[in-house]
Amino acid sequence: MTHGNPAATDALLAMQAALGWRAFRVGGIPWCRYGATTAMTIPLAEVHPVGRSHAEEVLRESGCLLALFPTSARTGVGCMQHMVRDKAYAEGALQRQFRQMLRRGERHLTFHELTWGELAIEGPGALAAYRARQGLRTPVAEGAWRAACEMGAAAADFTLFGCRHGRELAGFEILWRRRAGYDSVCTVVHPGFFKVGAANLLLYRSARALIARSDCHYVNFGRSGVPAIDGHDRFHRHAGLTEEPLHMAAVLHPRLRWLTRVGAPASWLPAARTLLGPDSRVARQLAALGVASATDMSLLPG
């Protein structure tokens, strides 16, 4: 459940808006519209008290067709969140390939804590390259990004890490301070630096720096996707992160709920995803439909 400084939530929403997403609050809970059809709560792995009436309000206000969110209710489908809890987390937890890439990163890059001022100036370059790799054509709104960074600095609830190749920012991680640990809320790696281990260096050194703090008992690096992205989850396993279960629920727009009654989605979704291909956006939307079909709305929080 969201807690702490509301200014930090404002900064998080402003960051998402600067990246071209529609970010908003409904009933105090932060949401972001990803693509044309889906609204998700943010941070992506945080459990908010979303019930049926709340989700339907989100669908009305956002124009989305589906609301997707982690839940404390035992309904929907399972996924995994990627966590570091071991205070002794070190290289012994890493698998060989990850450790080799970490060594490469240490040879070619420098890692350190960033300031918001540095991120405001240097972040858009890495963001633009990252978004182009993802097929996102909306340019980074640099003025809005600088304003979001000013809000993040004022909130004082975030820790930033980055790695550089010379003077160029190869990647950065934004983590939100919570009661007992940190949640990753933005990870960006310039695709030109994947081969020199930027992602490996950024994750490992960030996790080590934070879990070593006396008041930090976990670092959460987000959750698996719906459907799961094998390479993404494998990367986190190879980094020695533990997988902890998380329930995902979804509420479909009332006009479309008949779709969950056209046969059992669990029986035809795998074939549809195979036909469309693993990277198809339509296949991902179908997977979210499967979450809605598996969600018993009567079990959601009031």
Side-chain angles (χ1 to χ4, degrees):
M1 183 182 300
T2 301
H3 61 269
N5 186 358
T9 301
D10 291 340
L12 179 60
L13 292 169
M15 288 177 219
Q16 295 294 319
L19 297 178
W21 307 117
R22 184 185 171 198
F24 53 94
R25 270 195 185 94
V26 173
I29 295 175
W31 291 79
C32 192
R33 177 172 176 162
Y34 293 100
T37 61
T38 302
M40 298 185 197
T41 50
I42 53 176
L44 293 178
E46 182 165 348
V47 177
H48 298 279
V50 178
R52 174 177 178 168
S53 61
H54 183 102
E56 290 181 338
E57 184 180 357
V58 167
L59 295 175
R60 287 194 301 272
E61 293 196 10
S62 68
C64 288
L65 300 178
L66 184 132
L68 181 68
F69 48 93
T71 182
S72 59
R74 291 298 180 257
T75 189
V77 302
C79 74
M80 294 293 173
Q81 51 188 330
H82 308 291
M83 306 284 286
V84 174
R85 293 189 185 274
D86 184 2
K87 300 291 282 185
Y89 176 72
E91 287 193 26
L94 308 179
Q95 294 197 19
R96 182 176 60 85
Q97 186 178 10
F98 189 99
R99 189 163 51 247
Q100 289 174 340
M101 291 299 291
L102 173 63
R103 290 280 179 266
R104 187 176 298 178
E106 290 172 337
R107 289 196 300 271
H108 294 279
L109 305 165
T110 57
F111 171 89
H112 55 90
E113 192 165 343
L114 289 174
T115 68
W116 280 107
E118 290 171 325
L119 187 62
I121 296 169
E122 301 175 45
L127 278 166
Y130 171 81
R131 288 170 61 79
R133 175 69 176 267
Q134 302 297 314
L136 300 172
R137 297 181 180 180
T138 306
V140 178
E142 295 192 21
W145 177 254
R146 288 193 295 271
C149 288
E150 291 175 3
M151 293 173 67
D157 281 1
F158 298 96
T159 297
L160 286 59
F161 295 104
C163 53
R164 284 194 175 90
H165 183 264
R167 295 185 177 181
E168 185 174 6
L169 189 64
F172 62 86
E173 184 91 44
I174 302 175
L175 298 113
W176 189 358
R177 180 75 175 95
R178 314 307 265 161
R179 284 198 184 105
Y182 291 83
D183 290 344
S184 172
V185 294
C186 186
T187 303
V188 170
V189 176
H190 190 304
F193 297 102
F194 279 130
K195 291 184 178 179
V196 295
N200 305 69
L201 180 66
L202 190 60
L203 185 149
Y204 175 75
R205 294 287 294 275
S206 297
R208 282 271 292 170
L210 293 176
I211 200 65
R213 296 181 180 180
S214 60
D215 61 347
C216 177
H217 301 286
Y218 75 84
V219 186
N220 186 327
F221 283 96
R223 61 169 173 82
S224 56
V226 178
I229 303 171
D230 291 340
H232 175 269
D233 294 342
R234 184 169 56 251
F235 174 80
H236 288 88
R237 286 195 299 271
H238 286 189
L241 276 58
T242 58
E243 294 183 328
E244 298 185 8
L246 185 68
H247 278 269
M248 296 296 296
V251 172
L252 194 61
H253 195 285
R255 294 198 311 268
L256 298 178
R257 284 182 193 152
W258 62 270
L259 288 170
T260 63
R261 299 188 291 270
V262 181
S267 66
W268 53 264
L269 279 173
R273 288 200 294 267
T274 300
L275 179 65
L276 293 166
D279 297 325
S280 165
R281 291 183 182 179
V282 174
R284 296 197 175 281
Q285 292 166 358
L286 288 174
L289 175 62
V291 180
S293 178
T295 298
D296 181 345
M297 291 190 287
S298 70
L299 297 178
L300 296 175

